[in-house]
Amino acid sequence: MATNRPLTGPLTRALGYLESKKNLTGSVCGLVGLALTVAGVAGTYWPLVIAGLYGAGALVAPPERAPVPRFPGTAEQLGAVREDLGRLRDYVAEVELPPAADGKLGELLDLYAALLEPGRGTEALAAEPDAVHALSRAIRLDVPECVDTYNRTRWWTRLTPGGESPERHLERQLSVLFDEAERLTAGLQDREARRQQTHTTYLEERGRS
């Protein structure tokens, strides 16, 4: 098996060249040289004529273009974030949280779910890459980090009580994230309202003209 590995690179490049534009163009020009040879035009120099035409064709052929990379579209991104929200719900369901934090977290996750629900809201969200990034960061990083930090810190607090409780820190963190989600929602709603007003103005001006 090891003796075949060194051949993989050169063999792949050779096969790639056979399918390249340079080889195809050169081959076409070489066929022209062969036709000239059959017609008696090339004379005794026919090998040079065919090789020269092939080389000329290979030189003038357009360069190969690297394939454009495909990135996931916004719809695919939102679908992945929606799946991650489901996994986040499963995770927090296994963590024992204080009632106040548990209620705030439930409201937060419901707001995320509403933003990601397929329909008009998702269309507005998909048109705002910054909003998609903020929502994705909150679901994939911020909320899990808040819950995990609380889960670990409360164990140490039992050993060394005193100071501000981890429950209070968790409630403050979730309140900040909830306020951020509300601002994001309000921003999307405002953009939709402005878009509707712009379309109304356009129709009115078109009607007057």
Side-chain angles (χ1 to χ4, degrees):
M1 294 294 293
T3 56
N4 293 333
R5 289 180 181 175
L7 298 177
T8 302
L11 181 59
T12 301
R13 288 193 293 270
L15 292 175
Y17 179 76
L18 290 177
E19 299 176 351
S20 68
K21 295 178 181 178
K22 288 184 175 296
N23 181 56
L24 295 176
T25 305
S27 297
V28 171
C29 292
L31 289 176
V32 173
L34 182 60
L36 293 175
T37 300
V38 174
V41 178
T44 58
Y45 297 100
W46 64 268
L48 295 177
V49 172
I50 294 176
L53 288 174
Y54 175 88
L59 287 175
V60 301
E64 296 292 329
R65 295 174 57 188
V68 179
R70 290 182 57 83
F71 298 103
T74 307
E76 290 82 357
Q77 293 180 31
L78 291 178
V81 176
R82 194 178 298 116
E83 293 177 359
D84 290 338
L85 176 60
R87 284 190 283 269
L88 178 60
R89 284 187 181 276
D90 294 339
Y91 163 65
V92 299
E94 298 178 0
V95 181
E96 183 181 351
L97 299 175
D102 188 56
K104 177 62 71 174
L105 179 58
E107 294 177 7
L108 179 61
L109 297 184
D110 287 343
L111 183 54
Y112 290 158
L115 287 169
L116 289 168
E117 184 178 356
R120 184 62 181 172
T122 306
E123 293 177 6
L125 180 62
E128 300 294 337
D130 291 341
V132 174
H133 173 72
L135 185 59
S136 172
R137 180 189 59 197
I139 291 173
R140 293 170 172 169
L141 179 63
D142 295 335
V143 175
E145 181 68 18
C146 292
V147 175
D148 182 62
T149 301
Y150 162 76
N151 203 27
R152 288 183 286 108
T153 306
R154 68 173 179 168
W155 183 84
W156 289 101
T157 304
R158 293 169 183 170
L159 299 179
T160 55
E164 192 169 8
S165 67
E167 289 81 4
R168 177 57 183 157
H169 274 292
L170 178 61
E171 292 172 16
R172 289 168 56 189
Q173 292 167 356
L174 294 176
S175 294
V176 170
L177 290 174
F178 189 83
D179 291 343
E180 182 182 84
E182 283 193 321
R183 288 195 300 271
L184 189 152
T185 303
L188 293 175
Q189 183 178 7
D190 183 60
R191 293 185 189 97
E192 284 294 283
R194 291 203 306 268
R195 185 177 294 114
Q196 184 184 35
Q197 179 60 45
T198 299
H199 189 61
T200 300
T201 303
Y202 161 74
L203 292 176
E204 290 174 345
E205 292 178 351
R206 190 179 71 179
R208 287 192 294 267
S209 62

